[in-house]
Amino acid sequence: MGSSHHLKRIAMPRSWPLSRKTSTWVTRPRPGGHSLERCMAVGVVMRDVIGVAHSIREARVILHNGQVMIDGRIVRDARQGVGLMDVLTL
């Protein structure tokens, strides 16, 4: 089978600085250079951690305009993982 594309907030890693009982779901990052416990989706970082966007829809608009870079590369995917030592440029 494969891994699930969904992630409930109760089951998310403890290292993520998000509240657990505000809503049911949180965006699961795509597999890539970091493990699930060591990264968060860039859309979640922009909305919940930094506060640049008010919703995931607004975060996707910012991403599709090419205004976000991770480690010097333009990112257009809201589920792209941002790791601990990655440089996020807005």
Side-chain angles (χ1 to χ4, degrees):
M1 293 275 152
S3 66
S4 174
H5 294 286
H6 310 308
L7 184 65
K8 287 194 172 186
R9 280 192 180 248
I10 293 293
M12 72 182 177
R14 296 276 179 198
S15 60
W16 292 10
L18 303 176
S19 58
R20 298 197 172 276
K21 295 186 178 182
T22 56
S23 62
T24 305
W25 302 100
V26 68
T27 305
R28 181 187 184 104
R30 291 193 194 275
H34 304 284
S35 66
L36 177 65
E37 293 82 21
R38 307 249 186 247
C39 72
M40 290 178 64
V42 69
V44 174
V45 171
M46 290 173 59
R47 182 190 64 192
D48 295 333
V49 178
I50 300 174
V52 174
H54 292 101
S55 64
I56 289 292
R57 183 179 199 143
E58 187 177 338
R60 279 192 307 222
V61 169
I62 294 169
L63 287 166
H64 286 294
N65 287 333
Q67 298 175 350
V68 178
M69 292 172 44
I70 298 176
D71 291 336
R73 292 172 303 173
I74 294 176
V75 176
R76 297 189 190 275
D77 184 18
R79 291 182 56 198
Q80 174 74 34
V82 179
L84 179 66
M85 295 301 288
D86 286 347
V87 178
L88 179 66
T89 307
L90 299 171

